[in-house]
Amino acid sequence: MTEEHNGLTRRGFLTGMGGLAAGIAVGGLGVPSSMASAGQEPVWPMPYVKLDPEEVRKLGHLGYYEGECCRGAFSAIVGSLQKKVGAPFTAIPINIMAYGTGGVAGWCTLCGAINGASAAISLVSKNYKAIVNELLLWYTQTPFPSDKANALAVNHEYLVDKYKSDKALPPSVPGSPLCHVNVSRWCKEHGYASGSSERSERCARISGDVAAYAVELLNADMDGTFAPTHKFSAEVDGCRTCHKKGKDFDAGMWTRGKMECSDCHDKATAKLVGPDHP
Amino acid sequence: MTEEHNGLTRRGFLTGMGGLAAGIAVGGLGVPSSMASAGQEPVWPMPYVKLDPEEVRKLGHLGYYEGECCRGAFSAIVGSLQKKVGAPFTAIPINIMAYGTGGVAGWCTLCGAINGASAAISLVSKNYKAIVNELLLWYTQTPFPSDKANALAVNHEYLVDKYKSDKALPPSVPGSPLCHVNVSRWCKEHGYASGSSERSERCARISGDVAAYAVELLNADMDGTFAPTHKFSAEVDGCRTCHKKGKDFDAGMWTRGKMECSDCHDKATAKLVGPDHP
């Protein structure tokens, strides 16, 4: 499948395991050939209604203190839809995304705010791949915490007792969607320890900011006006001339990805790129 | 919150947005203070029943060809529970995890098989954080594709027409839970392009392998016998002596994470570690 593959039919998605079940029946595993016995078919995409990004920003921020970054961003969107729409959203336990905390159980891989917001997007839009791609591009290029998230905290607009800090926190551009990279960058740039209350609060504000922007994209998607606006950096575009998903191993297509190359690779590191790289 | 924080009560989780709603009502946003109006509370954890890891391995493998890695691993577990248990699993659209493809919309961050399997774990177990941590440790240290996944393909056990390749594929130890790192490693070690059908098939077999191991862990969890057995490498343990989540910035606690350090960091790269690092 190509990187931009999105060819599954809605019916194919709706039936979920239907195709697999039929296939396996042929193979003799003896499972039912349809989901009829379950008496219910999951609704997909679930019926999104437009949400207020500023309400969602607050909910994502607060949601961090209920279950950290990933669950927080997911709860801000899906929890709002549970209240506003009810079923079928009310059948989704918010804890399905609880594992994403700290870049997945503290491994600091994918930023949990991105992970949680992306799951919400995938739940409600057939355009999930393009919207999530745009979310990641925006995230890597935008200073966080946003002025709006900082202002909410400074102005004590709500639930003051939930806050770890009521001061404006200095912003950094994450550069990377990886928790390890962007937490380290922010901490080093501003002199905060990774276990400080300021770092937690920074991630809480980011949970709100990411959920809010996801809602902006979903609202546009619902209006039929969603269009990608963010671009890859010159570096990523340059490296991807050769180092992209493709068929030609000898031309450098033994890798794939969209993250900023220089966050990990450096010409000085023979092991990674090689000093004689053209 | 500490890295190992898991102090939310089950009631707190079950009510989901309840706490938020109450807080916001105080703040004057005017949303209801309970979810009673929705008429339904999400079930969590959902009622897991023990699954056969070998059936799940096949379903994960096949599921890759229905919607790639993340959706494939998730569908192998949650789709099986939809068939075996029915409600409440049947209310979960498998496509909630479709965004995770290619390490999230092709960004090659977190391996989609891990992401999808972890969401399934988070859906059914209060021990999600410990189980997911164990899944990542195992994943980074285990050669993939497994002999079992290779044998399934070579022996044409089922659905031959779905396979991109019926040969045994050479294994590599991923080292990293990041798609970009471990796909590059496997491709370079074995001479396959990232857009080759062999690379796709490798990821399909991994989707099955990861879903199967997740089920082994969940089965043990259900029996009350789950116990972590995998350890961090000496390198990670060593670097984390200083470079861990903590309060002391000057001692190196401006970062956090559990991934192998040397996949990106090298003493030769002044920018990343510094040539005078002790």
Side-chain angles (χ1 to χ4, degrees):
Chain A
M1 294 188 180
T2 68
E3 193 150 326
E4 299 309 317
H5 168 77
N6 198 6
L8 291 175
T9 63
R10 179 165 177 194
R11 175 69 192 164
F13 268 139
L14 279 171
T15 52
M17 297 288 289
L20 295 185
I24 290 161
V26 171
L29 292 181
V31 294
S33 62
S34 82
M35 289 188 63
S37 60
Q40 191 179 351
E41 244 185 25
V43 175
W44 188 84
M46 285 198 174
Y48 181 75
V49 296
K50 286 165 86 171
L51 298 173
D52 175 356
E54 298 316 313
E55 274 196 42
V56 167
R57 195 183 314 275
K58 295 173 188 175
L59 289 168
H61 189 165
L62 295 169
Y64 176 88
Y65 292 110
E66 296 267 320
E68 304 192 33
C69 48
C70 184
R71 186 183 186 280
F74 184 72
S75 75
I77 304 172
V78 176
S80 293
L81 293 166
Q82 287 176 338
K83 286 186 200 316
K84 207 163 173 180
V85 180
F89 291 104
T90 40
I92 306 289
I94 298 298
N95 284 336
I96 188 173
M97 297 309 293
Y99 71 96
T101 175
V104 177
W107 276 68
C108 299
T109 66
L110 176 63
C111 164
I114 294 178
N115 207 11
S118 295
I121 291 167
S122 211
L123 188 63
V124 300
S125 176
K126 286 188 282 183
N127 293 330
Y128 63 86
K129 199 179 283 188
I131 296 172
V132 167
N133 188 62
E134 185 70 4
L135 183 73
L136 269 76
L137 276 169
W138 165 82
Y139 175 97
T140 55
Q141 298 167 14
T142 301
F144 294 108
S146 72
D147 290 344
K148 286 180 179 174
N150 272 334
L152 284 174
V154 172
N155 296 339
H156 290 194
E157 283 202 23
Y158 57 108
L159 259 186
V160 175
D161 60 317
K162 283 274 187 183
Y163 283 77
K164 300 278 185 175
S165 164
D166 62 1
K167 63 188 172 191
L169 292 169
S172 292
V173 177
S176 173
L178 300 180
C179 168
H180 172 76
V181 177
N182 73 54
V183 164
S184 301
R185 180 165 285 149
W186 187 82
C187 287
K188 289 189 86 169
E189 284 185 8
H190 304 298
Y192 290 113
S194 57
S196 64
S197 58
E198 288 87 352
R199 203 280 308 149
S200 292
E201 174 61 14
R202 170 239 184 217
C203 293
R205 293 181 196 178
I206 289 180
S207 299
D209 282 336
V210 170
Y213 192 69
V215 158
E216 288 185 37
L217 296 176
L218 286 172
N219 289 350
D221 182 51
M222 196 171 190
D223 285 339
T225 59
F226 167 74
T229 57
H230 293 81
K231 306 290 183 197
F232 289 108
S233 71
E235 177 188 78
V236 170
D237 270 343
C239 293
R240 276 171 57 94
T241 307
C242 301
H243 299 305
K244 63 188 175 190
K245 185 177 170 185
K247 300 287 186 189
D248 193 345
F249 181 91
D250 292 330
M253 296 175 199
W254 34 260
T255 188
R256 57 180 300 196
K258 300 177 182 177
M259 292 187 281
E260 289 296 319
C261 311
S262 60
D263 274 342
C264 298
H265 298 277
D266 194 294
K267 286 191 181 181
T269 311
K271 172 168 157 279
L272 292 166
V273 175
D276 56 349
H277 189 279
Chain B
M1 293 186 181
T2 68
E3 193 151 327
E4 300 310 315
H5 166 79
N6 199 5
L8 290 174
T9 62
R10 179 162 179 197
R11 175 69 195 166
F13 267 139
L14 278 169
T15 53
M17 298 287 288
L20 295 184
I24 290 160
V26 171
L29 290 180
V31 294
S33 63
S34 82
M35 289 189 64
S37 60
Q40 193 179 349
E41 243 185 28
V43 174
W44 187 83
M46 285 197 175
Y48 182 74
V49 297
K50 285 165 88 172
L51 298 173
D52 175 356
E54 298 315 313
E55 273 196 42
V56 167
R57 194 184 313 275
K58 295 174 187 175
L59 289 168
H61 190 165
L62 295 168
Y64 177 90
Y65 291 110
E66 296 267 320
E68 304 190 36
C69 47
C70 184
R71 186 184 186 282
F74 185 72
S75 74
I77 303 171
V78 176
S80 294
L81 294 166
Q82 287 177 337
K83 287 187 203 314
K84 207 162 172 178
V85 179
F89 291 104
T90 40
I92 306 289
I94 298 298
N95 284 336
I96 189 173
M97 297 309 293
Y99 71 95
T101 176
V104 178
W107 276 68
C108 299
T109 66
L110 175 63
C111 164
I114 293 178
N115 207 9
S118 296
I121 291 167
S122 211
L123 188 62
V124 301
S125 175
K126 286 188 282 183
N127 294 329
Y128 63 86
K129 199 178 283 186
I131 296 172
V132 167
N133 187 63
E134 185 70 5
L135 183 73
L136 269 78
L137 277 170
W138 164 83
Y139 174 98
T140 55
Q141 299 168 13
T142 302
F144 295 109
S146 72
D147 290 344
K148 286 180 179 174
N150 273 333
L152 284 174
V154 171
N155 296 339
H156 290 192
E157 284 203 24
Y158 58 106
L159 261 186
V160 174
D161 60 316
K162 283 272 186 183
Y163 283 76
K164 299 276 185 174
S165 164
D166 62 0
K167 64 187 172 192
L169 291 170
S172 291
V173 177
S176 174
L178 300 180
C179 167
H180 172 76
V181 177
N182 72 54
V183 163
S184 301
R185 180 165 285 148
W186 187 82
C187 287
K188 289 190 86 170
E189 284 185 10
H190 304 298
Y192 290 114
S194 57
S196 65
S197 59
E198 287 88 352
R199 203 280 308 149
S200 292
E201 173 62 12
R202 170 235 184 223
C203 293
R205 293 182 195 177
I206 289 179
S207 298
D209 282 337
V210 171
Y213 192 70
V215 157
E216 287 184 38
L217 296 176
L218 286 172
N219 288 352
D221 182 50
M222 197 173 189
D223 284 340
T225 60
F226 166 73
T229 58
H230 293 81
K231 305 290 183 197
F232 289 108
S233 70
E235 177 188 78
V236 170
D237 270 341
C239 293
R240 276 171 57 94
T241 307
C242 302
H243 298 306
K244 63 188 175 191
K245 185 177 170 187
K247 300 286 186 191
D248 192 346
F249 182 91
D250 292 329
M253 297 175 199
W254 34 258
T255 189
R256 56 179 299 193
K258 300 178 182 177
M259 292 187 282
E260 288 297 318
C261 311
S262 60
D263 274 343
C264 298
H265 297 277
D266 195 294
K267 287 193 182 181
T269 311
K271 172 168 155 283
L272 292 168
V273 175
D276 57 350
H277 190 280

